[in-house]
Each structure stands twice: as C-alpha cells, then as structure tokens.
Amino acid sequence: MIGSSVVLRTRSWIVLCLGLLVVGSPAALAAECPGHPDALGTSRTLVVDPREHPRIGTMQYRETLPLKDHEVVLTFDDGPLPKYSNQILQMLADECIKATFFIIGEQAKANPEGVRKLVAAGHTVGTHSMNHPLTFDRMPLDKAETQINGGIAWTSAAMTDPSKLAPFFRIPGLMRAEGVENLLISRGIQVWSADFPADDWRHVSSDRVYQLAMQRLEAKGKGILLLHDIQARTVAALPKIIRDLKARGYRIVHVVPATADRPATPTTAVEWLLHPPTETVPIARWPSVPSFVFTQTKTLPAPSLADLNAQTEHQPLLPRRTKAQVDVASSLPVPGPDLFAIPEGSLEVLLSTTLSRRAATRLAMASETPRAAKGKAGKPHAARAAHAAHGAPKHTAQAKSAAPKGPASHSTRVATGVKKRA
C-alpha cells in the first residue's frame, strides 16, 4: 500500500508538471481549436489606440506594432472575392488564426456576405478605399476623401453591426501622401503599411510567394505580413506559410482597436520600434542635454591685471625690444659705398645684360687678346671671331665696327653699348 501510494503520488506530480508545461507553451493554444490539435492558433490579442500611434509599418514609417520576437500579424488586402477569399477564410478557421482584412468598397458592395463572414469569424475588418486607385500620392485631397468615405460606407453597410468596422486604413499600393495621412489621422483612423510583403500581387509562382514571405520574416524576426486574399497564388502558398510558421516557432497576434470598454494594451514607446536599442547596441545620436536649474544666478567677477601680477598701466600688444637688442643693432658697422661698386668694363657687367652668357664670354675673350696675336693668327682666326660676333645682336656688332682698334678702347665701347641696351 505504501509503495502504491508513492507511485500514485509520483504519477500525479508528473501529470501536473506536464499540464503546466502544456499550458505555458504555444501548443496549449491548439487545444482551443476543436478538431485541430496541431493548429497554429492565435497566441494573443493586441489592443491598439489609433490616436496614440497613427502610422505603423516599417516599410514606410518609423513605428510598427509592438510585437515580441517571432510574433506575426497576418493582413489581407483587396477582398472579399468569394472564389479565393472563402478558401483563405477556411484555412484560417482550420488553424484558429485571426487576421486583419482591408476591404475595398466595390468588393463589399458586390459581396456583402463575404464581409459578414469575416466579422462572424472574429477577424478585424478595416478599409482599403472605394475602388483601389493607385494615385493616392498625387490625387487631390477631395477625391482622396471621396475614396476613403466610399470604402468606409459600403463596408460598414455590409455589416450587421457597423460598429465592428475598425478605424484601420491601408492606402492602395502603399502610395502614401502626407495630406491623405493627415486627413485620416485627424479622423482617428490608423494608417497601416507593412513590415514585409510576399509579392503575391506580381506574376510569380506560389512557391515564390511562400519563399519571399518566410525569407523576409526570418530577416526581420517579427512583423506585419502583407498578403492578398484575391489571388490564386496566395491560396496555394498560405498552407506552406502556416506550416513553416509552426515549424519555426512563430506565433500569431490578433490586432483590434481600443474602445471605451476595451483599453489599449499597455506598452512603452520603444516597443513600437522594430528593433529597439539595447544596452549592447550604441545609440545613433547623443541624448538631448536636460535643462538644468541653477541654484545661483550670481556671476563671478572678471580677473584684473593686479590678480595676474601685471602692471596696471597700458601693456602693448607686441613685445618691446630689449636694451641688449638695441645695443647690438647700433654696434654693427655701416657698409661703405665702394663695397658694391663694379668696374664698368668688367666681365660681370657683360654677364648681367640680356646677352647670352656664351656670346658675352666670347666678346670679352676676344677683346683681351693682344693685337699682335690677332695678326699672327691669320684669316681663319679672324673668321672664327667674326662668327662669334655674328651670334650677338646687331647693335653689338655695330658698336664693335665703330670702335677704335686699340684693345682697351674696344672693350670699353662694347661694355658701354651693352649697358645702354640693358
């Protein structure tokens, strides 16, 4: 008896512990989905106040929904279109998933029953304009307001209880414009973008839609997924997306607007950022310096010259020369004028003129050659001297031919002609 009681107690503790684990795990939500024990389910409901956070979705805005890691919000645009919307609605029901649908007014007008099905299934219903024009970024504001009002009017008219319409709006094609956003915000309507799309409106395969959805979700870790419930490729891709969400531990969050009897979920401002800064990540800019309140406003007096051990009389900006510097400057001898005198007929005068150095040197050497040596050299030497003189300017040759035959007077005349030229 004692042994059996111990066994029973042990089994009961095991069952209790297992029960606690099941309740604390996401799989416990599957128990709330009758007939589908392996359903993904909806992990929690997030209540938001459109006036506190009027723009969401990091594809275009700074803020997004305050989701935790591995949390996903499913959104569908452009419906309802019975052929495809009903299939997607059934898939979500089989998995007990709650999503957000942005309805086009013309679709609600043509298929009001589809809108009522969404509300009956517990999904959130917002609006997506009257007929989905892709010109909201350049449309006149009055026409944009007509589009907004038409979508709201026909979608709420399709509902049994118009109060079920959420004040959520997604601009067609995400063609945002500041004037349109300000108009929506002034009316208390929250502007929804997304965190990542799956490109299911493009001409791609369903496999590509599935791959893009999971790749972009994995890259961000959480966020708002943009899909369309009017596409056959979305219908084919959604089961694979849900399968991978379950396999990779993602959880579905249902978003609803705050009301008077349903307050917004408490959050902090930093939670509305996709990747909030942490203690290990440096901030991009320094925080603003707070405005300090000083206890005293009395200022200290400026220091005087006496405090700096300086004379009170006027001090020159530039330092004065000392007596030693004055004595040294006055003791230096003054150079005489003959120090810079240069003989008029010297070689230095010739070299300082505009004549080339080679021509001046040849003229000086020719003028210093004795007349007797010139006679002995004969005609060939005279020809070379004439050739050298030919290289000089004409005025030099003229001065040479007019000069007397003596060597001294010849060099003096050449120097004088050169000096006048200079």
Side-chain angles (χ1 to χ4, degrees), residues 46-96:
L46 177 65
V47 184
V48 299
D49 187 347
R51 296 186 182 273
E52 292 182 359
H53 300 274
R55 301 177 179 91
I56 57 171
T58 54
M59 284 183 66
Q60 295 175 297
Y61 308 119
R62 179 174 178 267
E63 289 188 337
T64 188
L65 292 173
L67 303 176
K68 299 179 176 61
D69 185 48
H70 274 64
E71 286 189 338
V72 185
V73 173
L74 296 183
T75 63
F76 297 88
D77 289 6
D78 297 354
L81 189 63
K83 181 178 180 180
Y84 302 118
S85 299
N86 289 339
Q87 297 181 60
I88 289 178
L89 190 61
Q90 185 60 49
M91 293 177 194
L92 298 178
D94 293 342
E95 296 288 339
C96 291

Short mmCIF file of all heavy atoms in Angstrom, two decimals, residues 46-96:
data_model
loop_
_atom_site.label_atom_id
_atom_site.label_comp_id
_atom_site.label_asym_id
_atom_site.label_seq_id
_atom_site.Cartn_x
_atom_site.Cartn_y
_atom_site.Cartn_z
N LEU A 46 -3.77 41.95 -29.37
CA LEU A 46 -3.13 43.24 -29.11
C LEU A 46 -4.15 44.34 -29.38
O LEU A 46 -4.66 44.46 -30.49
CB LEU A 46 -1.91 43.41 -30.00
CG LEU A 46 -1.16 44.73 -29.91
CD1 LEU A 46 -0.53 44.93 -28.54
CD2 LEU A 46 -0.09 44.81 -31.01
N VAL A 47 -4.41 45.17 -28.36
CA VAL A 47 -5.36 46.27 -28.49
C VAL A 47 -4.56 47.56 -28.68
O VAL A 47 -3.68 47.88 -27.87
CB VAL A 47 -6.25 46.38 -27.24
CG1 VAL A 47 -7.32 47.47 -27.44
CG2 VAL A 47 -6.92 45.04 -26.94
N VAL A 48 -4.85 48.29 -29.75
CA VAL A 48 -4.08 49.50 -30.08
C VAL A 48 -5.02 50.69 -30.14
O VAL A 48 -6.19 50.57 -30.49
CB VAL A 48 -3.33 49.34 -31.42
CG1 VAL A 48 -2.34 48.19 -31.35
CG2 VAL A 48 -4.30 49.13 -32.58
N ASP A 49 -4.46 51.86 -29.80
CA ASP A 49 -5.19 53.12 -29.90
C ASP A 49 -4.67 53.87 -31.12
O ASP A 49 -3.52 54.32 -31.14
CB ASP A 49 -4.97 53.95 -28.63
CG ASP A 49 -5.84 55.20 -28.59
OD1 ASP A 49 -6.42 55.55 -29.64
OD2 ASP A 49 -5.94 55.82 -27.52
N PRO A 50 -5.50 54.04 -32.16
CA PRO A 50 -5.02 54.71 -33.38
C PRO A 50 -4.52 56.13 -33.15
O PRO A 50 -3.67 56.60 -33.89
CB PRO A 50 -6.26 54.70 -34.28
CG PRO A 50 -7.08 53.55 -33.79
CD PRO A 50 -6.87 53.54 -32.31
N ARG A 51 -5.01 56.80 -32.13
CA ARG A 51 -4.61 58.19 -31.90
C ARG A 51 -3.23 58.28 -31.27
O ARG A 51 -2.54 59.30 -31.40
CB ARG A 51 -5.65 58.91 -31.03
CG ARG A 51 -7.01 59.02 -31.71
CD ARG A 51 -7.98 59.85 -30.89
NE ARG A 51 -9.29 59.90 -31.54
CZ ARG A 51 -9.63 60.80 -32.46
NH1 ARG A 51 -8.74 61.70 -32.86
NH2 ARG A 51 -10.83 60.79 -33.00
N GLU A 52 -2.82 57.26 -30.57
CA GLU A 52 -1.50 57.28 -29.93
C GLU A 52 -0.40 56.93 -30.92
O GLU A 52 0.71 57.46 -30.84
CB GLU A 52 -1.49 56.32 -28.75
CG GLU A 52 -2.37 56.76 -27.59
CD GLU A 52 -2.28 55.79 -26.42
OE1 GLU A 52 -1.54 54.78 -26.55
OE2 GLU A 52 -2.94 56.02 -25.39
N HIS A 53 -0.68 56.02 -31.84
CA HIS A 53 0.31 55.59 -32.82
C HIS A 53 -0.39 55.57 -34.19
O HIS A 53 -0.86 54.52 -34.64
CB HIS A 53 0.89 54.22 -32.46
CG HIS A 53 1.56 54.20 -31.13
ND1 HIS A 53 2.87 54.56 -30.96
CD2 HIS A 53 1.08 53.88 -29.90
CE1 HIS A 53 3.20 54.46 -29.68
NE2 HIS A 53 2.13 54.06 -29.01
N PRO A 54 -0.46 56.71 -34.87
CA PRO A 54 -1.31 56.81 -36.08
C PRO A 54 -0.72 56.17 -37.32
O PRO A 54 -1.47 55.89 -38.26
CB PRO A 54 -1.44 58.32 -36.26
CG PRO A 54 -0.21 58.90 -35.63
CD PRO A 54 0.10 58.00 -34.48
N ARG A 55 0.60 55.93 -37.38
CA ARG A 55 1.22 55.32 -38.57
C ARG A 55 2.05 54.12 -38.12
O ARG A 55 2.91 54.24 -37.26
CB ARG A 55 2.13 56.32 -39.30
CG ARG A 55 1.46 57.58 -39.78
CD ARG A 55 2.51 58.50 -40.41
NE ARG A 55 1.95 59.74 -40.93
CZ ARG A 55 1.84 60.86 -40.22
NH1 ARG A 55 2.25 60.89 -38.97
NH2 ARG A 55 1.34 61.96 -40.77
N ILE A 56 1.84 52.99 -38.78
CA ILE A 56 2.59 51.79 -38.41
C ILE A 56 3.02 51.06 -39.68
O ILE A 56 2.37 51.13 -40.72
CB ILE A 56 1.76 50.85 -37.50
CG1 ILE A 56 0.45 50.44 -38.18
CG2 ILE A 56 1.50 51.47 -36.14
CD1 ILE A 56 -0.31 49.36 -37.43
N GLY A 57 4.14 50.34 -39.56
CA GLY A 57 4.66 49.56 -40.69
C GLY A 57 5.99 50.12 -41.14
O GLY A 57 6.06 51.21 -41.70
N THR A 58 7.06 49.37 -40.92
CA THR A 58 8.41 49.89 -41.20
C THR A 58 8.74 49.93 -42.69
O THR A 58 9.81 50.42 -43.06
CB THR A 58 9.46 49.04 -40.48
OG1 THR A 58 9.28 47.65 -40.84
CG2 THR A 58 9.34 49.18 -38.98
N MET A 59 7.89 49.43 -43.55
CA MET A 59 8.12 49.63 -44.97
C MET A 59 8.07 51.11 -45.33
O MET A 59 8.68 51.54 -46.31
CB MET A 59 7.08 48.85 -45.80
CG MET A 59 7.33 47.37 -45.87
SD MET A 59 6.12 46.51 -46.93
CE MET A 59 6.53 47.19 -48.54
N GLN A 60 7.36 51.91 -44.52
CA GLN A 60 7.23 53.33 -44.80
C GLN A 60 7.37 54.22 -43.57
O GLN A 60 7.71 55.39 -43.72
CB GLN A 60 5.88 53.60 -45.46
CG GLN A 60 5.72 52.97 -46.83
CD GLN A 60 4.34 53.15 -47.39
OE1 GLN A 60 3.36 52.67 -46.83
NE2 GLN A 60 4.24 53.88 -48.50
N TYR A 61 7.16 53.67 -42.40
CA TYR A 61 7.14 54.51 -41.21
C TYR A 61 8.15 54.02 -40.18
O TYR A 61 8.69 52.92 -40.27
CB TYR A 61 5.72 54.52 -40.60
CG TYR A 61 4.65 54.87 -41.59
CD1 TYR A 61 3.64 53.98 -41.91
CD2 TYR A 61 4.67 56.10 -42.24
CE1 TYR A 61 2.66 54.30 -42.83
CE2 TYR A 61 3.70 56.44 -43.16
CZ TYR A 61 2.70 55.53 -43.46
OH TYR A 61 1.74 55.85 -44.39
N ARG A 62 8.40 54.87 -39.22
CA ARG A 62 9.38 54.55 -38.18
C ARG A 62 8.85 53.51 -37.22
O ARG A 62 9.59 52.65 -36.75
CB ARG A 62 9.75 55.84 -37.43
CG ARG A 62 10.76 55.65 -36.29
CD ARG A 62 11.16 57.00 -35.71
NE ARG A 62 12.07 56.84 -34.60
CZ ARG A 62 11.70 56.77 -33.33
NH1 ARG A 62 10.41 56.83 -33.02
NH2 ARG A 62 12.59 56.62 -32.36
N GLU A 63 7.55 53.58 -36.92
CA GLU A 63 6.98 52.68 -35.92
C GLU A 63 6.28 51.50 -36.59
O GLU A 63 5.88 51.56 -37.75
CB GLU A 63 5.96 53.43 -35.04
CG GLU A 63 6.60 54.43 -34.09
CD GLU A 63 5.58 55.00 -33.13
OE1 GLU A 63 4.37 55.00 -33.45
OE2 GLU A 63 5.99 55.47 -32.05
N THR A 64 6.12 50.44 -35.81
CA THR A 64 5.31 49.30 -36.21
C THR A 64 4.61 48.79 -34.96
O THR A 64 4.75 49.36 -33.87
CB THR A 64 6.15 48.23 -36.88
OG1 THR A 64 5.28 47.21 -37.43
CG2 THR A 64 7.12 47.59 -35.90
N LEU A 65 3.87 47.71 -35.10
CA LEU A 65 3.16 47.17 -33.94
C LEU A 65 4.14 46.67 -32.88
O LEU A 65 5.21 46.16 -33.21
CB LEU A 65 2.24 46.03 -34.39
CG LEU A 65 1.05 46.44 -35.27
CD1 LEU A 65 0.33 45.20 -35.79
CD2 LEU A 65 0.08 47.34 -34.50
N PRO A 66 3.78 46.80 -31.61
CA PRO A 66 4.69 46.39 -30.53
C PRO A 66 4.69 44.86 -30.35
O PRO A 66 4.13 44.32 -29.38
CB PRO A 66 4.12 47.11 -29.30
CG PRO A 66 2.66 47.24 -29.58
CD PRO A 66 2.55 47.44 -31.08
N LEU A 67 5.33 44.20 -31.29
CA LEU A 67 5.38 42.74 -31.27
C LEU A 67 6.65 42.26 -30.60
O LEU A 67 7.69 42.91 -30.65
CB LEU A 67 5.31 42.20 -32.70
CG LEU A 67 4.10 42.61 -33.53
CD1 LEU A 67 4.22 42.06 -34.94
CD2 LEU A 67 2.81 42.14 -32.87
N LYS A 68 6.55 41.08 -30.01
CA LYS A 68 7.73 40.41 -29.46
C LYS A 68 8.40 39.59 -30.56
O LYS A 68 7.86 39.42 -31.65
CB LYS A 68 7.33 39.53 -28.27
CG LYS A 68 6.69 40.29 -27.11
CD LYS A 68 6.31 39.34 -26.00
CE LYS A 68 5.76 40.09 -24.79
NZ LYS A 68 4.53 40.87 -25.09
N ASP A 69 9.57 39.09 -30.24
CA ASP A 69 10.29 38.28 -31.22
C ASP A 69 9.47 37.07 -31.63
O ASP A 69 8.83 36.42 -30.79
CB ASP A 69 11.63 37.83 -30.63
CG ASP A 69 12.49 37.10 -31.63
OD1 ASP A 69 12.63 37.60 -32.77
OD2 ASP A 69 13.00 36.01 -31.31
N HIS A 70 9.46 36.77 -32.93
CA HIS A 70 8.75 35.63 -33.51
C HIS A 70 7.22 35.79 -33.41
O HIS A 70 6.50 34.80 -33.38
CB HIS A 70 9.18 34.31 -32.86
CG HIS A 70 10.41 33.72 -33.51
ND1 HIS A 70 11.62 34.36 -33.48
CD2 HIS A 70 10.60 32.55 -34.20
CE1 HIS A 70 12.52 33.62 -34.12
NE2 HIS A 70 11.92 32.53 -34.58
N GLU A 71 6.75 37.03 -33.40
CA GLU A 71 5.31 37.27 -33.47
C GLU A 71 4.97 37.86 -34.84
O GLU A 71 5.70 38.72 -35.36
CB GLU A 71 4.84 38.21 -32.36
CG GLU A 71 4.82 37.54 -30.99
CD GLU A 71 4.17 38.41 -29.93
OE1 GLU A 71 4.10 39.65 -30.12
OE2 GLU A 71 3.71 37.86 -28.92
N VAL A 72 3.86 37.43 -35.41
CA VAL A 72 3.46 37.80 -36.77
C VAL A 72 2.00 38.24 -36.77
O VAL A 72 1.17 37.64 -36.09
CB VAL A 72 3.66 36.64 -37.76
CG1 VAL A 72 3.35 37.08 -39.18
CG2 VAL A 72 5.06 36.08 -37.67
N VAL A 73 1.72 39.29 -37.55
CA VAL A 73 0.35 39.72 -37.80
C VAL A 73 0.07 39.50 -39.28
O VAL A 73 0.77 40.05 -40.15
CB VAL A 73 0.16 41.20 -37.43
CG1 VAL A 73 -1.23 41.68 -37.84
CG2 VAL A 73 0.38 41.41 -35.94
N LEU A 74 -0.95 38.69 -39.59
CA LEU A 74 -1.33 38.41 -40.97
C LEU A 74 -2.36 39.44 -41.42
O LEU A 74 -3.36 39.67 -40.73
CB LEU A 74 -1.91 37.01 -41.10
CG LEU A 74 -0.96 35.84 -40.79
CD1 LEU A 74 -1.68 34.51 -41.04
CD2 LEU A 74 0.30 35.92 -41.63
N THR A 75 -2.13 40.05 -42.58
CA THR A 75 -3.08 41.01 -43.14
C THR A 75 -3.35 40.64 -44.60
O THR A 75 -2.46 40.17 -45.31
CB THR A 75 -2.54 42.45 -43.07
OG1 THR A 75 -1.35 42.56 -43.86
CG2 THR A 75 -2.21 42.84 -41.64
N PHE A 76 -4.59 40.88 -45.03
CA PHE A 76 -5.02 40.55 -46.40
C PHE A 76 -5.73 41.77 -47.00
O PHE A 76 -6.60 42.36 -46.35
CB PHE A 76 -5.95 39.34 -46.40
CG PHE A 76 -5.31 38.07 -45.92
CD1 PHE A 76 -5.30 37.75 -44.57
CD2 PHE A 76 -4.69 37.20 -46.82
CE1 PHE A 76 -4.71 36.57 -44.12
CE2 PHE A 76 -4.10 36.03 -46.38
CZ PHE A 76 -4.10 35.72 -45.03
N ASP A 77 -5.40 42.10 -48.26
CA ASP A 77 -5.96 43.26 -48.94
C ASP A 77 -6.85 42.85 -50.11
O ASP A 77 -6.76 41.73 -50.62
CB ASP A 77 -4.84 44.16 -49.49
CG ASP A 77 -4.09 44.89 -48.40
OD1 ASP A 77 -4.37 44.63 -47.21
OD2 ASP A 77 -3.22 45.70 -48.73
N ASP A 78 -7.71 43.78 -50.53
CA ASP A 78 -8.43 43.80 -51.80
C ASP A 78 -9.68 42.94 -51.85
O ASP A 78 -10.34 42.91 -52.89
CB ASP A 78 -7.51 43.39 -52.97
CG ASP A 78 -6.36 44.34 -53.17
OD1 ASP A 78 -6.32 45.38 -52.48
OD2 ASP A 78 -5.48 44.04 -54.00
N GLY A 79 -10.02 42.24 -50.81
CA GLY A 79 -11.21 41.39 -50.85
C GLY A 79 -12.46 42.17 -50.44
O GLY A 79 -12.43 43.40 -50.31
N PRO A 80 -13.56 41.40 -50.24
CA PRO A 80 -13.63 39.94 -50.42
C PRO A 80 -13.99 39.56 -51.85
O PRO A 80 -14.79 40.20 -52.50
CB PRO A 80 -14.75 39.54 -49.46
CG PRO A 80 -15.64 40.75 -49.38
CD PRO A 80 -14.76 41.94 -49.58
N LEU A 81 -13.33 38.49 -52.31
CA LEU A 81 -13.63 37.88 -53.61
C LEU A 81 -13.94 36.42 -53.33
O LEU A 81 -13.05 35.65 -52.97
CB LEU A 81 -12.42 38.01 -54.54
CG LEU A 81 -12.65 37.62 -56.00
CD1 LEU A 81 -13.69 38.52 -56.66
CD2 LEU A 81 -11.34 37.68 -56.77
N PRO A 82 -15.22 36.02 -53.44
CA PRO A 82 -15.64 34.72 -52.93
C PRO A 82 -14.78 33.54 -53.41
O PRO A 82 -14.49 32.63 -52.62
CB PRO A 82 -17.08 34.58 -53.43
CG PRO A 82 -17.55 35.99 -53.57
CD PRO A 82 -16.36 36.78 -53.99
N LYS A 83 -14.38 33.53 -54.66
CA LYS A 83 -13.65 32.38 -55.19
C LYS A 83 -12.40 32.06 -54.40
O LYS A 83 -12.08 30.89 -54.16
CB LYS A 83 -13.30 32.64 -56.65
CG LYS A 83 -12.57 31.49 -57.32
CD LYS A 83 -12.30 31.79 -58.78
CE LYS A 83 -11.56 30.63 -59.45
NZ LYS A 83 -11.29 30.90 -60.89
N TYR A 84 -11.68 33.08 -53.95
CA TYR A 84 -10.43 32.88 -53.22
C TYR A 84 -10.55 33.25 -51.74
O TYR A 84 -9.95 32.60 -50.88
CB TYR A 84 -9.30 33.68 -53.86
CG TYR A 84 -9.08 33.33 -55.31
CD1 TYR A 84 -9.24 34.28 -56.32
CD2 TYR A 84 -8.72 32.03 -55.69
CE1 TYR A 84 -9.05 33.95 -57.65
CE2 TYR A 84 -8.53 31.70 -57.03
CZ TYR A 84 -8.69 32.67 -58.00
OH TYR A 84 -8.51 32.33 -59.33
N SER A 85 -11.32 34.29 -51.44
CA SER A 85 -11.43 34.72 -50.05
C SER A 85 -12.05 33.64 -49.18
O SER A 85 -11.63 33.46 -48.02
CB SER A 85 -12.29 36.00 -49.97
OG SER A 85 -11.68 37.05 -50.69
N ASN A 86 -13.04 32.91 -49.70
CA ASN A 86 -13.65 31.84 -48.90
C ASN A 86 -12.67 30.73 -48.58
O ASN A 86 -12.70 30.14 -47.49
CB ASN A 86 -14.88 31.28 -49.63
CG ASN A 86 -16.04 32.27 -49.65
OD1 ASN A 86 -16.09 33.19 -48.83
ND2 ASN A 86 -16.96 32.09 -50.58
N GLN A 87 -11.76 30.42 -49.52
CA GLN A 87 -10.76 29.38 -49.25
C GLN A 87 -9.77 29.82 -48.17
O GLN A 87 -9.42 29.05 -47.27
CB GLN A 87 -10.00 29.05 -50.54
CG GLN A 87 -10.85 28.46 -51.65
CD GLN A 87 -10.03 28.13 -52.89
OE1 GLN A 87 -9.09 27.32 -52.83
NE2 GLN A 87 -10.38 28.73 -54.02
N ILE A 88 -9.34 31.07 -48.26
CA ILE A 88 -8.42 31.58 -47.24
C ILE A 88 -9.12 31.65 -45.89
O ILE A 88 -8.52 31.33 -44.85
CB ILE A 88 -7.88 32.96 -47.67
CG1 ILE A 88 -6.91 32.78 -48.85
CG2 ILE A 88 -7.22 33.69 -46.51
CD1 ILE A 88 -6.34 34.06 -49.40
N LEU A 89 -10.37 32.05 -45.89
CA LEU A 89 -11.12 32.11 -44.64
C LEU A 89 -11.23 30.74 -43.99
O LEU A 89 -11.11 30.60 -42.76
CB LEU A 89 -12.51 32.68 -44.92
CG LEU A 89 -13.38 33.04 -43.71
CD1 LEU A 89 -12.70 34.10 -42.88
CD2 LEU A 89 -14.75 33.52 -44.17
N GLN A 90 -11.38 29.69 -44.80
CA GLN A 90 -11.47 28.34 -44.26
C GLN A 90 -10.11 27.87 -43.71
O GLN A 90 -10.06 27.21 -42.66
CB GLN A 90 -11.94 27.38 -45.35
CG GLN A 90 -12.19 25.95 -44.86
CD GLN A 90 -13.25 25.88 -43.78
OE1 GLN A 90 -14.34 26.45 -43.92
NE2 GLN A 90 -12.95 25.19 -42.68
N MET A 91 -9.02 28.19 -44.40
CA MET A 91 -7.68 27.83 -43.90
C MET A 91 -7.40 28.47 -42.54
O MET A 91 -6.86 27.82 -41.63
CB MET A 91 -6.61 28.27 -44.90
CG MET A 91 -6.64 27.54 -46.23
SD MET A 91 -5.38 28.24 -47.35
CE MET A 91 -5.90 27.53 -48.92
N LEU A 92 -7.76 29.73 -42.41
CA LEU A 92 -7.54 30.41 -41.14
C LEU A 92 -8.41 29.80 -40.04
O LEU A 92 -7.98 29.68 -38.88
CB LEU A 92 -7.84 31.90 -41.28
CG LEU A 92 -6.96 32.68 -42.29
CD1 LEU A 92 -7.40 34.14 -42.36
CD2 LEU A 92 -5.49 32.60 -41.91
N ALA A 93 -9.62 29.42 -40.38
CA ALA A 93 -10.50 28.80 -39.39
C ALA A 93 -9.96 27.45 -38.94
O ALA A 93 -10.04 27.10 -37.76
CB ALA A 93 -11.92 28.64 -39.97
N ASP A 94 -9.41 26.67 -39.88
CA ASP A 94 -8.84 25.37 -39.52
C ASP A 94 -7.65 25.50 -38.58
O ASP A 94 -7.38 24.59 -37.79
CB ASP A 94 -8.41 24.62 -40.78
CG ASP A 94 -9.59 24.21 -41.64
OD1 ASP A 94 -10.73 24.18 -41.13
OD2 ASP A 94 -9.38 23.93 -42.85
N GLU A 95 -6.96 26.61 -38.64
CA GLU A 95 -5.80 26.83 -37.78
C GLU A 95 -6.12 27.75 -36.61
O GLU A 95 -5.24 28.08 -35.82
CB GLU A 95 -4.65 27.44 -38.59
CG GLU A 95 -4.12 26.55 -39.69
CD GLU A 95 -3.32 25.37 -39.14
OE1 GLU A 95 -2.85 25.45 -37.99
OE2 GLU A 95 -3.17 24.37 -39.87
N CYS A 96 -7.37 28.18 -36.49
CA CYS A 96 -7.80 29.11 -35.43
C CYS A 96 -6.94 30.37 -35.42
O CYS A 96 -6.49 30.85 -34.36
CB CYS A 96 -7.77 28.41 -34.07
SG CYS A 96 -9.04 27.12 -33.91
#
